[in-house]
Amino acid sequence: MRLTCTINGEPREVDGLWEGESLLYVLRERLALPGSKNACEQGECGSCSVYLDGVLVCSCLVAAGQAEGREVVTVEGLAPSEDELHPVQTAFVEAGAVQCGFCTPGLIVATHDLLARVPNPTDAEIREALAGNLCRCTGYEKILDAVRLAAAS
């Protein structure tokens, strides 16, 4: 099977896929985009969150074939250039919200999605938007600080 889609603004084509491959597997293993993490493979942790046609999805639950002809944006695609971070990414670094880093890409994409919809979210809105993302290292306070910082920038 062949997959043709746009990933992070670039047309991409991948040959030799089997029907059961997840979009997450294709991104990480076939396209060398390791930002999205493989943690639960059940859509429970949010570590693999990406945009699919502008909608936040868990890429571990999306069959690669479902991305045919569509646009995918990963955490790597949020940054304006290779030398510059997106303001959400910068806020996570500055707030100390990056611990082991496993949950961070999904949290950053979810935060990006939240701030696109709600530029100045309340704490309740932040908690609701990030409810699908699990972090096993923190008490979430620094993550909340990062979202608040990103919203203020």
Side-chain angles (χ1 to χ4, degrees):
M1 185 172 114
R2 170 180 288 159
L3 171 65
T4 304
C5 62
T6 301
I7 298 179
N8 298 330
E10 295 182 24
R12 301 295 294 263
E13 192 171 277
V14 183
D15 285 317
L17 277 77
W18 59 278
E19 292 79 9
E21 280 185 43
S22 69
L23 178 57
L24 174 62
Y25 183 86
V26 170
L27 292 171
R28 290 181 57 79
E29 305 302 328
R30 296 186 180 269
L31 294 172
L33 292 168
S36 303
K37 302 302 183 212
N38 185 1
C40 73
E41 295 185 15
Q42 297 176 1
E44 296 291 329
C45 72
S47 293
C48 66
S49 296
V50 300
Y51 286 110
L52 182 61
D53 286 342
V55 177
L56 191 65
V57 298
C58 291
S59 61
C60 70
L61 297 180
V62 176
Q66 290 178 286
E68 178 64 31
R70 298 173 79 183
E71 183 176 349
V72 177
V73 178
T74 69
V75 69
E76 291 96 339
L78 297 181
S81 72
E82 288 185 21
D83 300 328
E84 188 179 353
L85 294 176
H86 185 278
V88 172
Q89 295 167 315
T90 301
F92 268 71
V93 172
E94 289 178 1
V98 179
Q99 298 269 325
C100 78
F102 214 77
C103 67
T104 306
L107 284 162
I108 287 172
V109 176
T111 298
H112 182 272
D113 180 64
L114 168 65
L115 296 179
R117 294 180 291 108
V118 185
N120 295 303
T122 64
D123 281 1
E125 289 170 322
I126 294 170
R127 289 176 191 278
E128 182 178 341
L130 301 184
N133 296 79
L134 300 177
C135 176
R136 293 172 178 90
C137 297
T138 71
Y140 294 94
E141 199 55 45
K142 289 185 184 284
I143 293 167
L144 296 174
D145 291 343
V147 177
R148 291 182 202 111
L149 182 61
S153 64

